[in-house]
Amino acid sequence: MFELTGLFGIILLALDIWALVSIFSSGASTGAKVLWALLVIVLPLLGFIIWLIAGPKSNRATV
């Protein structure tokens, strides 16, 4: 089994937290937000990659 430890685990945790904050600040429906959050929580690495490619974008303006 693949084990996430050390520095890689900390980086992945930070990226997952960033993804969750971005998911909940997006304009997606509540159901979509919950499904995306579950995907990121249950499958941390794969869920993050899928969210990064196809997930809802936040409402915050980027400068």
Side-chain angles (χ1 to χ4, degrees):
M1 187 98 203
F2 185 67
E3 190 173 327
L4 300 174
T5 58
L7 184 59
F8 182 73
I10 292 171
I11 292 170
L12 183 59
L13 176 64
L15 290 173
D16 284 343
I17 291 171
W18 172 61
L20 290 171
V21 168
S22 181
I23 288 168
F24 286 112
S25 67
S26 73
S29 68
T30 303
K33 289 179 183 180
V34 170
L35 290 175
W36 277 112
L38 284 174
L39 180 68
V40 170
I41 291 169
V42 172
L43 302 170
L45 181 59
L46 185 60
F48 174 76
I49 292 170
I50 294 170
W51 167 80
L52 195 59
I53 294 169
K57 305 302 178 211
S58 69
N59 284 336
R60 287 183 259 147
T62 56
V63 179

